[in-house]
Amino acid sequence: MLTLEINGREHVLDGVDADTPLLWVLRDALRLMGAKYGCGIAQCGSCTVLLDGEPVRCCVLPAAAASGRAVRTIEGLAAADGTLHPLQEAWIREDVAQCGYCQSGQIMAAAALLEANPAPTDADIDR
């Protein structure tokens, strides 16, 4: 049995192997489809979620590594009442999306940056 806190809600998962990558637990067990499978080697970022506020590539992170920690996905970025996060609003307003496949990972990485540094420089953003 594995217990995970996802988007502020506790999930008790029976029959999930602790070594299963968190991405597949999110998508297959919890039906949260925002994080995507891209490269499978933590390089592309389409699977980025926040783990205790830090961006991580969940395609290579064993689900057990998230136990006892707070996981936030793109589905949990908006407010409980459905109000979009300012980044989500900006993404729409600026018509950022292209195909959209990696957008959730980009938004989550940007959210982590802005939570840690509300006024990043260009160098901070590049890093």
Side-chain angles (χ1 to χ4, degrees), residues 1 4 7 12 27 33 112:
M1 183 178 339
L4 299 174
N7 299 326
V12 178
R27 292 181 63 80
M33 301 299 187

Side-chain angles (χ1 to χ4, degrees), residues 1-4 10-18 63-64 67:
M1 183 178 339
L2 186 63
T3 302
L4 299 174
E10 186 175 281
H11 297 269
V12 178
L13 303 162
D14 284 324
V16 173
D17 189 306
S67 183

Side-chain angles (χ1 to χ4, degrees), residues 18-26 35-49 51 55-66:
D19 291 331
T20 301
L22 180 59
L23 174 65
W24 300 118
V25 174
L26 294 172
K36 306 283 193 275
Y37 177 81
C39 66
I41 58 172
Q43 296 299 303
C44 74
S46 63
C47 66
T48 301
V49 299
L51 185 62
V56 297
R57 309 291 170 84
C58 69
C59 68
V60 297
L61 183 74

Side-chain angles (χ1 to χ4, degrees), residues 88-104:
Q88 293 170 308
E89 290 177 352
W91 231 257
I92 293 167
R93 183 178 60 252
E94 299 300 322
D95 200 21
V96 174
Q98 293 172 22
C99 78
Y101 196 80
C102 60
Q103 298 299 299
S104 65

Side-chain angles (χ1 to χ4, degrees), residues 53-54 110-119:
E54 295 295 320
L113 171 64
L114 292 173
E115 285 175 11
N117 181 356

